[in-house]
Amino acid sequence: MSLPFSTQLEDTMPEVKSILREVLPKQGQLSMEDVPTMVLCKPKLLPLKSVTLEKLEKMQMEAQEAVKQQEMAMKEQEQQMPS
C-alpha cells in the first residue's frame, strides 16, 4: 500500500526510509506508557487581605470616628446655646 505523499518523502529523504520502518501489531494491544513527572513552578500565594486594603479600612474607620466626634461636638454646641 503506497500513500500519495510517500514518493515525495523518498525523493527528499531516502535515508529515512531505510532507517525507520512502520510496524503495526497484527494482534494484541498497543499501549504507550505515560510516566508522570514532577513539574516545579512558582508558588501562587494570595494574601487574605492586602496591605493596601488594611490601610484603606483603617483610614475609613478613622474617618468614621472623626465624623462621630464632629456630630457630638455639634450637638454639645446646640445644647449650650439656648435660643
Side-chain angles (χ1 to χ4, degrees):
M1 181 174 168
S2 178
L3 298 174
F5 59 85
S6 63
T7 56
Q8 292 175 342
L9 286 176
E10 291 171 5
D11 294 340
T12 57
M13 300 187 318
E15 70 278 353
V16 173
K17 187 176 181 195
S18 63
I19 295 172
L20 299 176
R21 189 171 60 96
E22 184 180 83
V23 177
L24 294 174
K26 301 285 185 212
Q27 63 183 13
Q29 294 181 355
L30 178 64
S31 65
M32 185 178 88
E33 185 177 337
D34 186 22
V35 180
T37 58
M38 188 177 355
V39 177
L40 299 176
C41 61
K42 291 183 180 180
K44 295 171 179 67
L45 300 175
L46 298 174
L48 295 176
K49 280 191 176 181
S50 67
V51 176
T52 307
L53 182 61
E54 288 179 356
K55 286 180 183 179
L56 287 173
E57 287 178 347
K58 183 178 177 184
M59 288 172 57
Q60 186 177 13
M61 292 291 288
E62 289 173 354
Q64 287 176 349
E65 288 294 322
V67 168
K68 285 181 185 177
Q69 288 178 358
Q70 286 179 354
E71 287 176 354
M72 293 198 45
M74 293 289 285
K75 286 182 182 178
E76 287 177 5
Q77 283 181 352
E78 287 175 5
Q79 289 176 355
Q80 288 178 358
M81 294 176 48
S83 299

